[in-house]
Amino acid sequence: MAGPSIEDIMAMAQKAQEDLAKAQDELGKIEVEGVAGGGLVKVRATAKGQINGIEIDDSLMNPDEKGMLEDLIAAAINDARMKADHAAAEEMKKATAGMPMPPGMKLPF
């Protein structure tokens, strides 16, 4: 019994490439929200890591709280980044389901 032909392998590779490209496009549509300070600072970002917006509670608009505000913004961005990475990993897992991958190989490259 013969294995898949070279044409079959090429077609599978082409479909895999198309699925990955589609998944990459989807990452720009998935939005996550990073939060810090119990919701006083919120950062919206895409699963690709693009920051779409920042919300800061008015109570933090005090010059004496500048250092805390800066820390909360950094924490909210880091939270958004972690959530974006998780969402991207889940999306790529869907796109690569059933695709044989060598151990330790991660997508996107």
Side-chain angles (χ1 to χ4, degrees), residues 14-75:
Q14 179 66 33
K15 177 162 181 359
Q17 187 175 13
E18 290 169 3
D19 289 347
L20 288 174
K22 182 179 177 185
Q24 282 287 322
D25 288 341
E26 288 299 311
L27 295 181
K29 298 175 186 172
I30 297 171
E31 190 170 88
V32 298
E33 182 176 78
V35 179
L40 294 175
V41 176
K42 297 177 183 176
V43 174
R44 291 183 324 279
T46 68
K48 280 188 168 184
Q50 177 179 336
I51 303 297
N52 288 342
I54 297 175
E55 293 178 36
I56 300 170
D57 189 271
D58 289 344
S59 67
L60 296 173
M61 297 301 179
N62 177 343
D64 294 335
E65 302 294 332
K66 181 178 184 284
M68 183 177 66
L69 175 57
E70 291 168 347
D71 290 344
L72 289 173
I73 291 170

Side-chain angles (χ1 to χ4, degrees), residues 2 10 13 34 38 42 45 72 86 88 105 109:
M10 294 301 289
K42 297 177 183 176
L72 289 173
H86 179 73
M105 184 173 202
F109 307 112

